[in-house]
Amino acid sequence: ATMVLWINNPRWDGVPFILKAGKALNERKGEIRIQFKPAPGANRMFAGQEVPRNELVMRLQPDEAVYMKANVKSPGLKTTPVMSELDLSYAERYAHEEMFDAYTRLILEVIRGRQATFVRDDELKAAWAIFTPLLHRIEAEKIKPIPYDFGGRGPPESDQLLKSRGYYQYHGGKYTGRGKRMSMLGVS
């Protein structure tokens, strides 16, 4: 399922919030991705070349990380844009710390009597206020889900919806944390 939500206030006016979820997709992940508008002057600096948008990504699972995908000029005399990452991978930054999965930490919060990591009742009510009318419409109109291939990115209609809302999809590279990049290069 893919949906676009809007926040009705001056600060977020015109900013789409895109939610995408599915089963049997090509990747299992949870992340928050903030995509910036195209950099001014990029088309003049890199004339005729595809210039991906800069993004701030907070990967919740797997492999918790915060990274900034940014375009830089390639080293040397060429004027070619190259996507690079400014990276904080938890497993690498805190390599000497014992890392527990989310459920272990959640159970510990329950034992300690802390509720900060749980959804508040007003958040839960707001979520139901968004989804209840949608669920009623799906049921009343007998709307069927759009099928897609197992192990794919989801239905093409999802990508078309994102594009219509100004989201630029760049599939020219896959994020790998610094440790994985260094081990691929034979550096320890």
Side-chain angles (χ1 to χ4, degrees):
T2 303
M3 70 176 3
V4 179
L5 302 175
W6 307 89
I7 296 177
N8 188 16
N9 72 26
R11 174 171 290 190
W12 296 106
D13 185 37
V15 177
F17 286 79
I18 299 167
L19 306 178
K20 184 175 179 177
K23 294 286 189 186
L25 295 173
N26 59 341
E27 288 184 274
R28 183 182 181 275
K29 64 182 177 182
E31 63 185 20
I32 299 165
R33 185 175 292 264
I34 300 169
Q35 187 174 89
F36 297 94
K37 292 182 178 182
N43 289 334
R44 285 190 302 275
M45 180 182 266
F46 303 113
Q49 299 177 60
E50 181 181 29
V51 181
R53 292 184 181 177
N54 296 333
E55 291 183 317
L56 176 62
V57 181
M58 291 160 270
R59 167 84 44 105
L60 308 174
Q61 68 172 336
D63 305 322
E64 295 93 341
V66 177
Y67 59 96
M68 177 76 184
K69 291 172 59 177
N71 292 299
V72 296
K73 182 193 152 309
S74 63
L77 300 175
K78 287 188 193 176
T79 305
T80 306
V82 177
M83 182 65 74
S84 184
E85 293 103 10
L86 177 62
D87 188 357
L88 168 61
S89 298
Y90 279 50
E92 294 168 23
R93 171 66 176 90
Y94 302 107
H96 303 293
E97 300 288 333
E98 188 168 6
M99 302 293 279
F100 296 98
D101 68 18
Y103 291 112
T104 302
R105 294 189 306 259
L106 198 60
I107 290 169
L108 182 60
E109 293 296 305
V110 169
I111 292 168
R112 291 178 175 164
R114 295 184 187 154
Q115 297 180 354
T117 55
F118 295 91
V119 175
R120 294 187 329 254
D121 63 339
D122 60 330
E123 291 175 290
L124 191 56
K125 287 176 186 174
W128 280 111
I130 292 169
F131 288 103
T132 299
L134 175 64
L135 294 172
H136 286 170
R137 183 174 172 202
I138 289 170
E139 187 175 323
E141 297 178 21
K142 308 276 189 258
I143 298 171
K144 299 227 183 281
I146 300 169
Y148 57 89
D149 293 335
F150 179 89
R153 290 187 23 81
E157 290 86 346
S158 174
D159 289 340
Q160 291 165 5
L161 174 64
L162 300 183
K163 185 177 181 182
S164 75
R165 297 302 188 257
Y167 183 77
Y168 176 87
Q169 294 188 12
Y170 175 71
H171 304 295
K174 185 174 176 106
Y175 169 76
T176 54
R178 183 180 183 279
K180 291 177 185 175
R181 287 193 302 272
M182 298 311 244
S183 65
M184 287 189 286
L185 295 172
V187 178
S188 47

